[in-house]
Structure formats: C-alpha cells, structure tokens
C-alpha cells in the first residue's frame, strides 16, 4: 500500500533533480558570451600579426600588442570553454578547472595590485624598463608605434623620464654617426607645433616651446593618483564577473554532487526487493 501511495499522481523520486536549470544556463550563457569575445580577440590579434611585414615579424615580441591580444584571447577561450561544456554537460572536472582558473587569475590580479602599491618604486622601475624597450623598437612595429603615439598625445608627454629618452632609438639618436633625417629629433606625437630638428639638443626651457618635455612616467603616475576611484571601479568591474563565475560554478558543482548521491541512493533502493 505504501508503494502504491508513493507511485501516485505526485512526481516520482527519479524525476527530482538537485541541479537548478537557472544556475546551469546562467553559467552557460555567461561563459558563452566571454567565449565569443575571446574568439574575436584571437582573430583580431592574428590578423594584426599577419598584416605586419616579414622583417617585423620577430621584432619586440614581448611588447607586441597583437601577441598580447592573442595570448589573452587563447587563455580566455580555454577557460570559458571549460565553463561552457562543464555547465552544459554537468561535468564536475571541467567546472572545477574553470573555477580554479578563475580563482588563480583573481588572486594574481589582487596580488599584483597589492604588490604594485607596496613596492611602488620597483613597479615604477619596471614600467620605465618597458617604456624604454618600447622606445628602442618604436619603428620596428606599427602597432607599438601607434600605441606610443596615442599615449604621448593623450598624456601630453614625451619619452619615459624626459624627451631625451628618444636618443635610445637608432633613428632619433643624437650621435654624429647617425645618418637618419630624424637625428636628434622626437616623434610627431611629442610636438606642440611644427618643430625643427635637434629638439634633444635644446635645453628643457627651449624645447618646451615646441614639444612636451615632461616624461610619460610622471604623467602616468599623476593620472593614476587623480583617478583612483575610476581605477577602483574598473578593478571592481573586472573582479565581479570572476567572482560571480566562481560562485555559480561552485553552486552547480555542489548540486551535481547532491544529484549523484540521490541517483546512487535510488539505485540502491531499487535493487532492494522490499522497496
């Protein structure tokens, strides 16, 4: 009689599921969105890389924006792929891989922010090295050149520490042996107005009438100090999707484990002749 009551018009135990469709499909579409974005990033990065001349193909890979875009796109693609397939197929291994990767990225971002704040002098020195390296390869990479020109125009600056940093570039070098037409000058993005050659040979006061004389490092530091709330908002905007993804993945993992336990319980009791 108890068996007939259990098998009445209500839902059977086998039909019950701990896995919430809302959690499952929200996580799926969340990852699908970033998965599509990652494919666009990879496509744009590869296209930009292929457009470059053969002689520039090996130039300054460490600071190549196209390579950076491809690397970030591939990593995002792999992580979101785990999230998409893991949520759709209810695969605990893929969901755990997705959750662990997001957690590691979040902790690395947090550590970078804290270390950058604590060791601000060392961070400044590292930024200076990167900018000097970019100056050296200014003419080797069109993407890098456009990036530097944009930065110098946007921040009204020239060079790393000062405009004379451009002497590190073989085309703007001030040595007498330099045959370039741009000898001892600076890129157009440094100019306030049309300037004659030999800007680097001028004093700070003389050059300031024609070009931006302040270095970009100081300008960047001042901009960061003036826009801490904006940067905090951007950091929060990056962190929230990661935390939401981690939370949804962990909820779904726990639900799948509960569902597996329920299925094992049902199988054990179905094998019982008194069930």
């Amino acid at each position: 009689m108890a068996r007939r009551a259990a098998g009445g018009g209500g839902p059977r135990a086998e039909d019950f599921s701990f896995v919430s469709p809302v959690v499952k499909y929200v996580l799926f579409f969340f990852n699908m969105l970033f998965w599509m974005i990652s494919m666009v990033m990879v496509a744009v990065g590869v296209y930009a890389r292929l457009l470059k001349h053969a002689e520039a193909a090996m130039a300054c890979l460490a600071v190549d924006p196209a390579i950076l875009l491809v690397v970030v796109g591939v990593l995002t693609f792999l992580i979101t792929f785990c999230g998409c397939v893991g949520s759709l197929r209810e695969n605990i291994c893929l969901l755990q891989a997705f959750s662990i990767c997001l957690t590691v990225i979040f902790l690395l971002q947090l550590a970078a922010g804290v270390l950058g704040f604590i060791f601000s002098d060392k961070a400044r020195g590292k930024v200076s090295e990167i900018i000097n390296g970019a100056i050296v390869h200014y003419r080797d990479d069109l993407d890098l050149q456009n990036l530097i020109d944009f930065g110098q125009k946007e921040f009204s600056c020239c060079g790393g520490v000062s405009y004379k940093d451009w002497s590190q570039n073989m085309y703007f070098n001030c040595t007498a042996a330099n045959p370039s037409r741009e000898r001892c000058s600076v890129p157009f993005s440094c100019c306030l107005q049309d300037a004659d050659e030999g800007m680097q040979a001028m004093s700070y006061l003389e050059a300031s009438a024609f070009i931006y004389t302040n270095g970009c490092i100081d300008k960047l530091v001042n901009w960061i100090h003036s826009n801490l709330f904006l940067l905090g908002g951007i950091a929060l905007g990056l962190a929230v999707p990661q935390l939401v993804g981690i939370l949804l993945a962990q909820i779904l993992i726990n639900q799948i484990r509960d569902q597996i336990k329920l299925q094992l319980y049902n199988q054990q009791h179905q094998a019982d002749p008194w069930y």
Side-chain angles (χ1 to χ4, degrees), residues 96-150:
Q96 284 179 330
F98 168 75
S99 181
I100 290 171
C101 287
L102 279 189
T103 302
V104 169
I105 291 172
F106 175 76
L107 292 176
L108 287 176
Q109 291 173 344
L110 185 63
V114 172
L115 291 175
F117 179 77
I118 296 174
F119 302 103
S120 56
D121 291 338
K122 290 185 178 180
R124 182 189 177 100
K126 188 62 179 178
V127 171
S128 180
E129 288 179 16
I130 293 173
I131 291 177
N132 288 334
I135 287 173
V136 170
H137 294 282
Y138 175 75
R139 291 294 190 202
D140 300 338
D141 189 319
L142 183 60
D143 290 337
L144 182 63
Q145 179 176 320
N146 291 334
L147 185 63
I148 293 173
D149 286 335
F150 173 79

Short mmCIF file of all heavy atoms in Angstrom, two decimals, residues 96-150:
data_model
loop_
_atom_site.label_atom_id
_atom_site.label_comp_id
_atom_site.label_asym_id
_atom_site.label_seq_id
_atom_site.Cartn_x
_atom_site.Cartn_y
_atom_site.Cartn_z
N GLN A 96 35.35 22.37 -12.14
CA GLN A 96 36.40 22.62 -11.16
C GLN A 96 37.60 23.31 -11.81
O GLN A 96 38.19 24.22 -11.23
CB GLN A 96 36.83 21.31 -10.50
CG GLN A 96 35.85 20.78 -9.46
CD GLN A 96 36.30 19.48 -8.86
OE1 GLN A 96 36.97 18.69 -9.49
NE2 GLN A 96 35.91 19.25 -7.61
N ALA A 97 37.95 22.87 -13.03
CA ALA A 97 39.06 23.52 -13.75
C ALA A 97 38.73 24.98 -14.02
O ALA A 97 39.57 25.87 -13.85
CB ALA A 97 39.32 22.78 -15.06
N PHE A 98 37.48 25.24 -14.44
CA PHE A 98 37.03 26.61 -14.68
C PHE A 98 37.10 27.45 -13.41
O PHE A 98 37.63 28.57 -13.41
CB PHE A 98 35.59 26.56 -15.21
CG PHE A 98 34.90 27.89 -15.24
CD1 PHE A 98 35.20 28.83 -16.20
CD2 PHE A 98 33.92 28.20 -14.30
CE1 PHE A 98 34.55 30.07 -16.22
CE2 PHE A 98 33.27 29.41 -14.31
CZ PHE A 98 33.58 30.35 -15.28
N SER A 99 36.60 26.91 -12.31
CA SER A 99 36.58 27.62 -11.04
C SER A 99 38.00 27.89 -10.53
O SER A 99 38.31 29.00 -10.06
CB SER A 99 35.79 26.82 -10.01
OG SER A 99 35.74 27.51 -8.78
N ILE A 100 38.87 26.89 -10.64
CA ILE A 100 40.26 27.05 -10.16
C ILE A 100 40.99 28.11 -10.99
O ILE A 100 41.71 28.96 -10.45
CB ILE A 100 41.00 25.70 -10.22
CG1 ILE A 100 40.45 24.76 -9.15
CG2 ILE A 100 42.51 25.89 -10.03
CD1 ILE A 100 40.96 23.34 -9.28
N CYS A 101 40.81 28.08 -12.31
CA CYS A 101 41.48 29.07 -13.19
C CYS A 101 41.02 30.49 -12.86
O CYS A 101 41.85 31.40 -12.76
CB CYS A 101 41.18 28.75 -14.65
SG CYS A 101 42.04 27.30 -15.29
N LEU A 102 39.71 30.67 -12.68
CA LEU A 102 39.21 32.00 -12.33
C LEU A 102 39.72 32.45 -10.97
O LEU A 102 40.07 33.62 -10.79
CB LEU A 102 37.68 32.00 -12.31
CG LEU A 102 36.95 32.13 -13.63
CD1 LEU A 102 35.46 32.34 -13.40
CD2 LEU A 102 37.49 33.27 -14.48
N THR A 103 39.81 31.52 -10.03
CA THR A 103 40.31 31.86 -8.70
C THR A 103 41.77 32.28 -8.76
O THR A 103 42.18 33.27 -8.14
CB THR A 103 40.16 30.66 -7.74
OG1 THR A 103 38.77 30.28 -7.69
CG2 THR A 103 40.63 31.01 -6.35
N VAL A 104 42.58 31.54 -9.53
CA VAL A 104 44.01 31.86 -9.67
C VAL A 104 44.18 33.23 -10.32
O VAL A 104 44.99 34.05 -9.86
CB VAL A 104 44.72 30.77 -10.50
CG1 VAL A 104 46.13 31.22 -10.88
CG2 VAL A 104 44.79 29.46 -9.72
N ILE A 105 43.41 33.50 -11.38
CA ILE A 105 43.51 34.80 -12.06
C ILE A 105 43.11 35.93 -11.12
O ILE A 105 43.77 36.97 -11.07
CB ILE A 105 42.61 34.80 -13.32
CG1 ILE A 105 43.18 33.86 -14.37
CG2 ILE A 105 42.48 36.22 -13.89
CD1 ILE A 105 42.27 33.65 -15.56
N PHE A 106 42.04 35.72 -10.36
CA PHE A 106 41.59 36.74 -9.42
C PHE A 106 42.66 37.00 -8.35
O PHE A 106 42.96 38.16 -8.03
CB PHE A 106 40.29 36.29 -8.75
CG PHE A 106 39.81 37.22 -7.67
CD1 PHE A 106 39.20 38.42 -7.99
CD2 PHE A 106 39.99 36.90 -6.33
CE1 PHE A 106 38.77 39.29 -7.00
CE2 PHE A 106 39.56 37.76 -5.33
CZ PHE A 106 38.94 38.95 -5.67
N LEU A 107 43.27 35.95 -7.81
CA LEU A 107 44.30 36.11 -6.78
C LEU A 107 45.56 36.77 -7.35
O LEU A 107 46.19 37.59 -6.67
CB LEU A 107 44.65 34.75 -6.18
CG LEU A 107 43.54 34.08 -5.34
CD1 LEU A 107 43.98 32.71 -4.88
CD2 LEU A 107 43.17 34.96 -4.15
N LEU A 108 45.90 36.44 -8.60
CA LEU A 108 47.06 37.08 -9.23
C LEU A 108 46.82 38.57 -9.43
O LEU A 108 47.72 39.39 -9.22
CB LEU A 108 47.36 36.41 -10.57
CG LEU A 108 47.98 35.01 -10.51
CD1 LEU A 108 48.12 34.42 -11.92
CD2 LEU A 108 49.35 35.05 -9.82
N GLN A 109 45.61 38.93 -9.86
CA GLN A 109 45.27 40.35 -10.02
C GLN A 109 45.33 41.07 -8.68
O GLN A 109 45.85 42.19 -8.59
CB GLN A 109 43.87 40.48 -10.63
CG GLN A 109 43.77 40.04 -12.07
CD GLN A 109 42.35 40.03 -12.59
OE1 GLN A 109 41.40 40.08 -11.81
NE2 GLN A 109 42.19 39.93 -13.89
N LEU A 110 44.79 40.42 -7.66
CA LEU A 110 44.81 41.02 -6.32
C LEU A 110 46.23 41.18 -5.82
O LEU A 110 46.60 42.24 -5.28
CB LEU A 110 44.00 40.14 -5.37
CG LEU A 110 43.79 40.67 -3.94
CD1 LEU A 110 43.00 41.98 -3.98
CD2 LEU A 110 43.07 39.64 -3.08
N ALA A 111 47.05 40.15 -6.01
CA ALA A 111 48.45 40.21 -5.57
C ALA A 111 49.22 41.27 -6.33
O ALA A 111 50.04 42.01 -5.75
CB ALA A 111 49.11 38.84 -5.75
N ALA A 112 48.97 41.38 -7.64
CA ALA A 112 49.65 42.40 -8.45
C ALA A 112 49.31 43.80 -7.97
O ALA A 112 50.18 44.68 -7.89
CB ALA A 112 49.28 42.23 -9.92
N GLY A 113 48.02 44.02 -7.65
CA GLY A 113 47.62 45.33 -7.15
C GLY A 113 48.25 45.66 -5.81
O GLY A 113 48.74 46.78 -5.60
N VAL A 114 48.27 44.68 -4.90
CA VAL A 114 48.84 44.91 -3.57
C VAL A 114 50.36 45.12 -3.66
O VAL A 114 50.91 46.06 -3.06
CB VAL A 114 48.53 43.72 -2.64
CG1 VAL A 114 49.29 43.85 -1.32
CG2 VAL A 114 47.03 43.65 -2.38
N LEU A 115 51.04 44.26 -4.44
CA LEU A 115 52.49 44.38 -4.57
C LEU A 115 52.87 45.67 -5.29
O LEU A 115 53.88 46.30 -4.96
CB LEU A 115 53.05 43.18 -5.33
CG LEU A 115 52.99 41.84 -4.58
CD1 LEU A 115 53.45 40.70 -5.49
CD2 LEU A 115 53.85 41.89 -3.32
N GLY A 116 52.06 46.04 -6.31
CA GLY A 116 52.33 47.29 -7.01
C GLY A 116 52.21 48.49 -6.10
O GLY A 116 52.95 49.47 -6.23
N PHE A 117 51.26 48.43 -5.13
CA PHE A 117 51.09 49.52 -4.18
C PHE A 117 52.22 49.54 -3.15
O PHE A 117 52.76 50.60 -2.82
CB PHE A 117 49.74 49.38 -3.47
CG PHE A 117 49.46 50.45 -2.45
CD1 PHE A 117 49.07 51.71 -2.86
CD2 PHE A 117 49.62 50.20 -1.10
CE1 PHE A 117 48.81 52.71 -1.93
CE2 PHE A 117 49.37 51.19 -0.16
CZ PHE A 117 48.97 52.45 -0.58
N ILE A 118 52.59 48.34 -2.66
CA ILE A 118 53.64 48.26 -1.63
C ILE A 118 55.01 48.59 -2.22
O ILE A 118 55.79 49.35 -1.64
CB ILE A 118 53.65 46.86 -0.99
CG1 ILE A 118 52.33 46.62 -0.24
CG2 ILE A 118 54.83 46.70 -0.03
CD1 ILE A 118 52.19 45.22 0.31
N PHE A 119 55.30 48.00 -3.37
CA PHE A 119 56.61 48.22 -4.00
C PHE A 119 56.46 49.16 -5.19
O PHE A 119 56.83 48.83 -6.31
CB PHE A 119 57.19 46.88 -4.45
CG PHE A 119 57.37 45.88 -3.34
CD1 PHE A 119 56.48 44.83 -3.18
CD2 PHE A 119 58.42 45.99 -2.44
CE1 PHE A 119 56.63 43.90 -2.16
CE2 PHE A 119 58.59 45.08 -1.41
CZ PHE A 119 57.69 44.03 -1.28
N SER A 120 55.92 50.32 -4.91
CA SER A 120 55.64 51.28 -5.99
C SER A 120 56.92 51.74 -6.70
O SER A 120 56.92 51.97 -7.91
CB SER A 120 54.88 52.48 -5.45
OG SER A 120 55.60 53.09 -4.39
N ASP A 121 58.03 51.85 -5.96
CA ASP A 121 59.29 52.27 -6.58
C ASP A 121 59.79 51.23 -7.57
O ASP A 121 60.25 51.57 -8.67
CB ASP A 121 60.35 52.52 -5.50
CG ASP A 121 60.03 53.75 -4.65
OD1 ASP A 121 59.26 54.61 -5.14
OD2 ASP A 121 60.52 53.83 -3.51
N LYS A 122 59.72 49.95 -7.15
CA LYS A 122 60.15 48.89 -8.06
C LYS A 122 59.21 48.78 -9.25
O LYS A 122 59.65 48.51 -10.38
CB LYS A 122 60.21 47.56 -7.32
CG LYS A 122 61.35 47.48 -6.29
CD LYS A 122 61.44 46.10 -5.67
CE LYS A 122 62.61 46.03 -4.69
NZ LYS A 122 62.74 44.68 -4.07
N ALA A 123 57.92 48.97 -9.01
CA ALA A 123 56.95 48.94 -10.11
C ALA A 123 57.23 50.08 -11.08
O ALA A 123 57.15 49.89 -12.31
CB ALA A 123 55.54 49.06 -9.56
N ARG A 124 57.59 51.23 -10.55
CA ARG A 124 57.94 52.37 -11.41
C ARG A 124 59.17 52.05 -12.26
O ARG A 124 59.23 52.37 -13.45
CB ARG A 124 58.20 53.60 -10.53
CG ARG A 124 58.53 54.85 -11.30
CD ARG A 124 58.98 55.95 -10.35
NE ARG A 124 59.37 57.14 -11.06
CZ ARG A 124 58.61 58.21 -11.22
NH1 ARG A 124 57.41 58.23 -10.69
NH2 ARG A 124 59.04 59.26 -11.88
N GLY A 125 60.17 51.38 -11.63
CA GLY A 125 61.36 51.00 -12.38
C GLY A 125 61.05 50.00 -13.49
O GLY A 125 61.61 50.09 -14.59
N LYS A 126 60.13 49.05 -13.21
CA LYS A 126 59.75 48.07 -14.23
C LYS A 126 59.01 48.74 -15.37
O LYS A 126 59.24 48.41 -16.55
CB LYS A 126 58.86 47.00 -13.58
CG LYS A 126 58.55 45.83 -14.49
CD LYS A 126 59.80 45.08 -14.89
CE LYS A 126 59.47 43.90 -15.79
NZ LYS A 126 60.69 43.18 -16.23
N VAL A 127 58.13 49.67 -15.04
CA VAL A 127 57.41 50.42 -16.08
C VAL A 127 58.39 51.21 -16.94
O VAL A 127 58.26 51.29 -18.16
CB VAL A 127 56.36 51.36 -15.45
CG1 VAL A 127 55.78 52.31 -16.50
CG2 VAL A 127 55.25 50.56 -14.80
N SER A 128 59.42 51.78 -16.28
CA SER A 128 60.44 52.53 -17.01
C SER A 128 61.20 51.63 -17.98
O SER A 128 61.48 52.03 -19.12
CB SER A 128 61.42 53.16 -16.01
OG SER A 128 62.42 53.88 -16.68
N GLU A 129 61.50 50.41 -17.56
CA GLU A 129 62.17 49.46 -18.44
C GLU A 129 61.30 49.13 -19.66
O GLU A 129 61.80 49.06 -20.79
CB GLU A 129 62.49 48.17 -17.69
CG GLU A 129 63.60 48.29 -16.66
CD GLU A 129 63.85 46.98 -15.93
OE1 GLU A 129 63.38 45.93 -16.43
OE2 GLU A 129 64.51 46.99 -14.88
N ILE A 130 60.02 48.92 -19.42
CA ILE A 130 59.10 48.58 -20.51
C ILE A 130 59.01 49.73 -21.51
O ILE A 130 59.05 49.53 -22.73
CB ILE A 130 57.71 48.23 -19.95
CG1 ILE A 130 57.79 46.93 -19.14
CG2 ILE A 130 56.69 48.09 -21.08
CD1 ILE A 130 56.51 46.60 -18.40
N ILE A 131 58.89 50.96 -20.99
CA ILE A 131 58.79 52.13 -21.87
C ILE A 131 60.07 52.33 -22.66
O ILE A 131 60.03 52.61 -23.87
CB ILE A 131 58.44 53.39 -21.05
CG1 ILE A 131 57.01 53.29 -20.51
CG2 ILE A 131 58.59 54.65 -21.90
CD1 ILE A 131 56.60 54.45 -19.63
N ASN A 132 61.22 52.15 -22.01
CA ASN A 132 62.50 52.30 -22.72
C ASN A 132 62.63 51.25 -23.81
O ASN A 132 63.14 51.53 -24.90
CB ASN A 132 63.66 52.20 -21.73
CG ASN A 132 63.78 53.44 -20.85
OD1 ASN A 132 63.34 54.53 -21.24
ND2 ASN A 132 64.35 53.27 -19.67
N GLY A 133 62.20 50.02 -23.51
CA GLY A 133 62.23 48.98 -24.53
C GLY A 133 61.32 49.30 -25.69
O GLY A 133 61.65 49.04 -26.86
N ALA A 134 60.16 49.88 -25.40
CA ALA A 134 59.23 50.27 -26.45
C ALA A 134 59.82 51.40 -27.30
O ALA A 134 59.64 51.42 -28.52
CB ALA A 134 57.91 50.71 -25.83
N ILE A 135 60.53 52.33 -26.67
CA ILE A 135 61.17 53.43 -27.40
C ILE A 135 62.21 52.88 -28.38
O ILE A 135 62.31 53.33 -29.53
CB ILE A 135 61.80 54.43 -26.42
CG1 ILE A 135 60.71 55.25 -25.72
CG2 ILE A 135 62.79 55.35 -27.14
CD1 ILE A 135 61.22 56.16 -24.62
N VAL A 136 63.00 51.91 -27.93
CA VAL A 136 64.04 51.32 -28.78
C VAL A 136 63.42 50.69 -30.03
O VAL A 136 63.96 50.80 -31.14
CB VAL A 136 64.84 50.27 -27.99
CG1 VAL A 136 65.76 49.48 -28.91
CG2 VAL A 136 65.67 50.94 -26.89
N HIS A 137 62.26 50.06 -29.88
CA HIS A 137 61.63 49.34 -31.00
C HIS A 137 60.51 50.15 -31.64
O HIS A 137 59.65 49.57 -32.32
CB HIS A 137 61.08 48.01 -30.49
CG HIS A 137 62.14 47.05 -30.04
ND1 HIS A 137 62.89 46.31 -30.92
CD2 HIS A 137 62.58 46.72 -28.80
CE1 HIS A 137 63.75 45.56 -30.25
NE2 HIS A 137 63.58 45.79 -28.96
N TYR A 138 60.51 51.45 -31.47
CA TYR A 138 59.41 52.31 -31.93
C TYR A 138 59.13 52.13 -33.42
O TYR A 138 57.97 52.04 -33.84
CB TYR A 138 59.76 53.76 -31.62
CG TYR A 138 58.78 54.80 -32.13
CD1 TYR A 138 57.55 54.98 -31.51
CD2 TYR A 138 59.09 55.59 -33.24
CE1 TYR A 138 56.65 55.93 -31.98
CE2 TYR A 138 58.21 56.54 -33.70
CZ TYR A 138 56.98 56.72 -33.08
OH TYR A 138 56.10 57.66 -33.54
N ARG A 139 60.17 52.10 -34.24
CA ARG A 139 59.98 51.98 -35.68
C ARG A 139 59.87 50.55 -36.17
O ARG A 139 59.64 50.31 -37.37
CB ARG A 139 61.16 52.65 -36.42
CG ARG A 139 61.23 54.16 -36.30
CD ARG A 139 60.08 54.84 -36.97
NE ARG A 139 60.26 56.28 -37.06
CZ ARG A 139 59.28 57.15 -37.23
NH1 ARG A 139 58.05 56.72 -37.28
NH2 ARG A 139 59.54 58.44 -37.30
N ASP A 140 60.03 49.58 -35.30
CA ASP A 140 60.02 48.17 -35.71
C ASP A 140 58.63 47.58 -35.79
O ASP A 140 58.42 46.54 -36.42
CB ASP A 140 60.86 47.33 -34.74
CG ASP A 140 62.31 47.79 -34.68
OD1 ASP A 140 62.76 48.44 -35.64
OD2 ASP A 140 62.98 47.50 -33.68
N ASP A 141 57.67 48.20 -35.14
CA ASP A 141 56.34 47.63 -35.02
C ASP A 141 55.31 48.73 -35.13
O ASP A 141 55.27 49.64 -34.30
CB ASP A 141 56.23 46.90 -33.67
CG ASP A 141 54.96 46.09 -33.55
OD1 ASP A 141 53.91 46.56 -34.00
OD2 ASP A 141 55.02 44.96 -33.01
N LEU A 142 54.45 48.66 -36.14
CA LEU A 142 53.47 49.72 -36.38
C LEU A 142 52.46 49.81 -35.24
O LEU A 142 52.05 50.91 -34.85
CB LEU A 142 52.75 49.47 -37.71
CG LEU A 142 51.74 50.54 -38.15
CD1 LEU A 142 52.43 51.89 -38.31
CD2 LEU A 142 51.06 50.13 -39.46
N ASP A 143 52.02 48.66 -34.70
CA ASP A 143 51.08 48.68 -33.59
C ASP A 143 51.68 49.35 -32.37
O ASP A 143 51.04 50.15 -31.69
CB ASP A 143 50.65 47.25 -33.21
CG ASP A 143 49.77 46.63 -34.28
OD1 ASP A 143 49.15 47.38 -35.04
OD2 ASP A 143 49.72 45.39 -34.36
N LEU A 144 52.93 49.01 -32.09
CA LEU A 144 53.63 49.61 -30.95
C LEU A 144 53.81 51.11 -31.17
O LEU A 144 53.63 51.91 -30.25
CB LEU A 144 54.99 48.93 -30.76
CG LEU A 144 55.83 49.39 -29.59
CD1 LEU A 144 55.14 49.09 -28.26
CD2 LEU A 144 57.20 48.73 -29.62
N GLN A 145 54.14 51.49 -32.38
CA GLN A 145 54.31 52.91 -32.71
C GLN A 145 53.02 53.68 -32.49
O GLN A 145 53.02 54.76 -31.88
CB GLN A 145 54.75 53.02 -34.18
CG GLN A 145 54.96 54.45 -34.66
CD GLN A 145 55.48 54.50 -36.08
OE1 GLN A 145 56.32 53.70 -36.47
NE2 GLN A 145 54.97 55.44 -36.86
N ASN A 146 51.91 53.13 -32.95
CA ASN A 146 50.61 53.80 -32.76
C ASN A 146 50.25 53.90 -31.29
O ASN A 146 49.67 54.89 -30.84
CB ASN A 146 49.53 53.05 -33.52
CG ASN A 146 49.67 53.16 -35.03
OD1 ASN A 146 50.24 54.14 -35.53
ND2 ASN A 146 49.18 52.18 -35.75
N LEU A 147 50.58 52.85 -30.52
CA LEU A 147 50.29 52.85 -29.09
C LEU A 147 51.08 53.93 -28.37
O LEU A 147 50.54 54.65 -27.51
CB LEU A 147 50.61 51.46 -28.51
CG LEU A 147 50.25 51.23 -27.05
CD1 LEU A 147 48.74 51.35 -26.84
CD2 LEU A 147 50.75 49.86 -26.59
N ILE A 148 52.37 54.05 -28.69
CA ILE A 148 53.21 55.08 -28.06
C ILE A 148 52.74 56.47 -28.45
O ILE A 148 52.63 57.37 -27.59
CB ILE A 148 54.69 54.88 -28.46
CG1 ILE A 148 55.22 53.58 -27.86
CG2 ILE A 148 55.54 56.06 -28.00
CD1 ILE A 148 56.62 53.22 -28.33
N ASP A 149 52.42 56.66 -29.72
CA ASP A 149 51.95 57.97 -30.17
C ASP A 149 50.64 58.35 -29.48
O ASP A 149 50.45 59.51 -29.08
CB ASP A 149 51.75 57.97 -31.69
CG ASP A 149 53.07 57.99 -32.45
OD1 ASP A 149 54.07 58.46 -31.88
OD2 ASP A 149 53.10 57.50 -33.60
N PHE A 150 49.75 57.39 -29.33
CA PHE A 150 48.49 57.64 -28.64
C PHE A 150 48.75 58.05 -27.19
O PHE A 150 48.15 59.00 -26.68
CB PHE A 150 47.60 56.40 -28.68
CG PHE A 150 46.36 56.52 -27.84
CD1 PHE A 150 45.26 57.22 -28.29
CD2 PHE A 150 46.30 55.93 -26.58
CE1 PHE A 150 44.11 57.34 -27.52
CE2 PHE A 150 45.16 56.05 -25.79
CZ PHE A 150 44.07 56.76 -26.27
#
